[in-house]
Amino acid sequence: MLKQILKTDKKCLYKFAYNMGIKGARGIQRFQKRIKNGDFFPAFHFISVTDDCNLNCQGCWVTHKKQNARMSPEMLDSIITQSKAKGSYFFGILGGEPLMYKPLFDVFEKHSDCYFQLFTNGTLLTKDIAERLRKLANVSPLISFEGDTEIADVRRGGKNVYQKAQAAIDHSTDAGLITGVAMSVCKSNIDLAFSDEFIRSLIDRGVLYLWYYIYRPVGQDATVDLCLSAEQIEQLRLFIVDARQKYNIAIIDAYWDENGKGLCPAASGLSHHINASGDIEPCPVIQFATNNVADGDLESIYRNSPFLAGFKTEIPKLTTGCIVMDDPQWLVNYTKQHAAKDTSGRENEAERLSKMEKVSSHGSAKPVREKSWVYRFAKKRAFFGFGAYG
């Protein structure tokens, strides 16, 4: 880890430590205090700023929309400003491909007191873009890897995606950015996920964190055939726990607490997703909403939303995993009960979920306690940041 840190720009390190670390911990404390007082406002948001993308990935929630949306800079600014007033300074920026959103860098610059995690496929992350991010210092690129040369093109619906993602890593680390790599683990890339050569290559190139999450069948091109089996999910959990002690890189997951029990950030209220149209969704893969940012101030919306409140009370009764995978029909019935709007942009999400078979999710894995005291402490006391997009 020291090798990667020494390659990191000092201003980027400072912004990460202060905006992300200190302010993030304070944000979690304020969130926990609100929960104890019976109030609610998420500790942080994940925001999809645009539906536009230059790829066509399997399991992507924004593909094949009837019309792409782009969030107005004014709405994005309002979300961030209102969140800061509640002590929340961390934001995950998603798409589509967020680097196709033209006002993005103006927002990063205006809110220099915040920290942003940029979810990107890497194909547009050039040297010039990396240098702009270095000067801002408050953004961590999280570059997606979906497989090797052949698998990546199939999963991503593009050409030379693997090579472009590799180049993006080099541009990012060469600029001294806090660089992460993410992998949506599925049947076609699980061997790469467990590859010692792959992980050590990331370490050698200055990547600071590696984030594993589980493929979820979402979107028009979703296929359950790629979903991990219960046995493979257990293998992934065991691998993550051991890898944290073996490799000099932060290994992130969004699914298990310090004792290995499954969790859902949306069900805990820790985070929610706002799509490019301003719809407030439980998480990116649950594409239903009863409220929009334009309806009023966020604090009142969260305080008075039966739809979001029900997720916190009902989901834990059903699963410690992902409700989309464990019981899609229950989700359909729940959204009908609350007259929730289909926010997928395809107008067929309830029908798709009704036809989808149940598959194993992270709640299927047997509890495996964290071996590292550092990860146990972080998950118990400050489970936030790079591991809460579930």
Side-chain angles (χ1 to χ4, degrees), residues 165-213:
Q166 292 275 12
I169 290 176
D170 291 335
H171 297 326
S172 184
T173 56
D174 287 347
L177 302 178
I178 302 284
T179 303
V181 167
M183 181 178 290
S184 174
V185 184
C186 63
K187 287 182 178 177
S188 65
N189 65 15
I190 191 169
D191 290 338
L192 180 65
F194 293 166
S195 168
D196 179 82
E197 181 181 359
F198 170 67
I199 297 173
R200 293 194 185 279
S201 72
L202 298 180
I203 296 170
D204 291 341
R205 295 160 69 191
V207 175
L208 280 166
Y209 63 102
L210 173 58
W211 184 12
Y212 292 110
Y213 55 100

Side-chain angles (χ1 to χ4, degrees), residues 8-20:
T8 304
D9 180 83
K10 299 302 182 288
K11 184 180 178 182
C12 291
L13 279 175
Y14 170 77
K15 289 277 189 175
F16 174 79
Y18 185 67
N19 289 11
M20 170 69 184

